[in-house]
Amino acid sequence: MIILAIETSCDETAAAVVKTQKSVIKPLSSVVSSQIPLHRKTRGVVPEVAARAHIRKINAVVKKALTDARIGLKSIDYLAVTNGPGLITSLLIGTEYVKALSLAINKKIIPTNHMSGHLYSAFLQNPQLKLPSINLIVSGGHTYIVLLASKNKIKIIGQTIDDAAGEAFDKVARMLELPYPGGPEISKAALHGKRDYDFPRPMQYTKDYNFSFAGLKTAVLYKIRDEKLKMSDPQVVADLAFSFQNAAVDVLVAKTIRAAKQYKAKSITLSGGVAANKKLRKDLGDAAKKEKLKLYVPDFKLCTDNALMIANAAAIKLQGGFKPVNYTKVKVNPGLEI
Ligand code: KG4
Ligand code: ZN
């Protein structure tokens, strides 16, 4: 079975092809056209600008995914597309494109949840990882702890009550006058940090598995204001980035490990854009090891948005018994939960 997947939920235009044989999912191609340089000017994504860029790029990206996979449109069995969550104008470009393609080649569609794409990306290189697993999904828009009792049984056990983890990294980066996207810039700057301001670890000891990052973000803001810190000094920026990252990572690690113990998880996964953060990967890996658990993290290029994770999640959905739908049944839902 061959699946062509398209992802346009935010600011990456992406297409990928996978081949499935029984339970094996084999990547054939993955193409990502990033809009990061475009959004640097505005230090964030302007939805209308992102949508227009998707329109300009989508055809070439799909063609390259097919060429790289050495297949033509005739070989495709199913189409998959991200239908939410995301920016509505961005999602519409991908879904309308896939609907038109579905009509043209007479193939059905697997509408796929973007966050399930992130979640299952950890399984792509480790399909046999042991369940139940506790899964931390940290992106620019969402922060979830999810329990997977079996492959297709997703249960949210915790989430952010305000900002997403990635959003907090991005907003603090703005305060530090670092370029967009802020997450990678914070982790780069943090490497040179010497002083730890000991920012609060919000909700670290609450009994639930929820997170809050708004207070941490405000603590950084007040520190800058109260101590009249100047971003023209690279050491100040490095110290603030270092201290913020330490606090955010501590909370993410503590809650994930507690959930893993509580639910007697056999493995832990980490996914989403913030999973590219080296400190989070290391600290969560070390903490998991102490509990005699293994942490599974996708390759760096699979952490941030891509269509291979969507093709993979669509294939898992299909293996779970999902019946692909006619193009008239595909609806965009920007607020879709996992
Ligand atoms: O999953 P993703 O590519 O897009 C969404 O679905 O939101 O995640 C993007 C987020 C951004 O907030 C970005 O700053 C963050 O992931 N990010 C990082 C790192 N690389 C990307 N955050 C912390 N450290 C990083 N190295
Ligand atoms: Zn994402």
Side-chain angles (χ1 to χ4, degrees), residues 9-10 12 114-115 118 138-141 166-167 169-170 181-184 187 245 272-274 276-278 303-305:
S9 67
C10 188
E12 322 282 354
H114 180 83
M115 300 311 292
H118 280 306
V138 269
S139 76
E167 190 181 353
F169 270 88
D170 293 339
S187 55
Q245 181 175 265
V274 184
N277 186 280
K278 284 189 183 146
C303 288
T304 44
D305 290 351

Side-chain angles (χ1 to χ4, degrees), residues 36-175:
I36 285 177
L38 194 62
H39 300 303
R40 268 217 176 105
K41 288 178 219 154
T42 45
R43 291 218 188 158
V45 180
V46 176
E48 180 64 25
V49 173
R52 283 166 193 261
H54 284 310
I55 295 173
R56 283 198 299 276
K57 289 286 163 64
I58 194 161
N59 220 12
V61 166
V62 170
K63 274 190 182 160
K64 180 153 175 31
L66 292 171
T67 310
D68 290 358
R70 297 169 186 272
I71 59 158
L73 282 171
K74 283 200 183 106
S75 311
I76 293 165
D77 297 293
Y78 295 114
L79 296 160
V81 66
T82 306
N83 67 328
L87 301 172
I88 186 149
T89 42
S90 287
L91 287 164
L92 278 168
I93 308 306
T95 49
E96 291 307 310
Y97 184 93
V98 165
K99 284 187 199 177
L101 192 55
S102 159
L103 189 61
I105 65 172
N106 197 24
K107 297 292 171 188
K108 291 198 168 165
I109 302 173
I110 308 167
T112 302
N113 182 301
H114 180 83
M115 300 311 292
S116 78
H118 280 306
L119 166 65
Y120 291 124
S121 62
F123 288 72
L124 199 55
Q125 286 141 333
N126 305 285
Q128 305 308 336
L129 72 87
K130 289 205 182 94
L131 300 178
S133 63
I134 282 292
N135 312 274
L136 175 65
I137 316 170
V138 269
S139 76
H142 296 82
T143 303
Y144 288 122
I145 295 185
V146 159
L147 170 68
L148 268 190
S150 61
K151 202 86 172 268
N152 279 286
K153 214 166 153 206
I154 299 174
K155 187 177 173 201
I156 300 172
I157 59 165
Q159 56 188 306
T160 180
I161 60 165
D162 41 54
D163 289 355
E167 190 181 353
F169 270 88
D170 293 339
K171 286 182 177 164
V172 169
R174 275 181 88 119
M175 294 177 203

Side-chain angles (χ1 to χ4, degrees), residues 106-308:
N106 197 24
K107 297 292 171 188
K108 291 198 168 165
I109 302 173
I110 308 167
T112 302
N113 182 301
H114 180 83
M115 300 311 292
S116 78
H118 280 306
L119 166 65
Y120 291 124
S121 62
F123 288 72
L124 199 55
Q125 286 141 333
N126 305 285
Q128 305 308 336
L129 72 87
K130 289 205 182 94
L131 300 178
S133 63
I134 282 292
N135 312 274
L136 175 65
I137 316 170
V138 269
S139 76
H142 296 82
T143 303
Y144 288 122
I145 295 185
V146 159
L147 170 68
L148 268 190
S150 61
K151 202 86 172 268
N152 279 286
K153 214 166 153 206
I154 299 174
K155 187 177 173 201
I156 300 172
I157 59 165
Q159 56 188 306
T160 180
I161 60 165
D162 41 54
D163 289 355
E167 190 181 353
F169 270 88
D170 293 339
K171 286 182 177 164
V172 169
R174 275 181 88 119
M175 294 177 203
L176 307 190
E177 297 172 14
L178 294 168
Y180 171 84
E185 298 293 330
I186 293 254
S187 55
K188 253 190 270 164
L191 291 175
H192 307 286
K194 289 182 184 150
R195 175 175 170 190
D196 194 333
Y197 287 106
D198 201 20
F199 287 131
R201 271 74 173 152
M203 295 180 74
Q204 181 160 346
Y205 299 107
T206 57
K207 287 211 169 75
D208 54 31
Y209 299 106
N210 291 334
F211 298 101
S212 166
F213 293 102
L216 170 56
K217 198 182 63 186
T218 312
V220 180
L221 187 70
Y222 286 177
K223 180 62 73 184
I224 296 171
R225 190 193 63 187
D226 296 348
E227 295 197 12
K228 297 190 174 52
L229 299 173
K230 293 277 173 288
M231 297 315 126
S232 48
D233 181 347
Q235 194 54 53
V236 167
V237 173
D239 290 346
L240 287 167
F242 174 66
S243 312
F244 162 77
Q245 181 175 265
N246 288 345
V249 168
D250 277 358
V251 179
L252 291 167
V253 171
K255 288 239 155 150
T256 308
I257 294 295
R258 206 152 56 68
K261 279 161 64 176
Q262 166 77 30
Y263 287 90
K264 298 191 172 35
K266 294 198 174 125
S267 44
I268 301 178
T269 76
L270 168 65
S271 59
V274 184
N277 186 280
K278 284 189 183 146
K279 179 166 174 60
L280 178 58
R281 293 162 89 101
K282 178 166 189 325
D283 287 8
L284 190 55
D286 291 348
K289 216 180 207 171
K290 275 195 195 143
E291 301 301 327
K292 300 198 170 33
L293 287 166
K294 192 164 161 45
L295 172 70
Y296 296 89
V297 194
D299 280 353
F300 284 103
K301 62 180 186 308
L302 265 177
C303 288
T304 44
D305 290 351
N306 64 88
L308 184 53

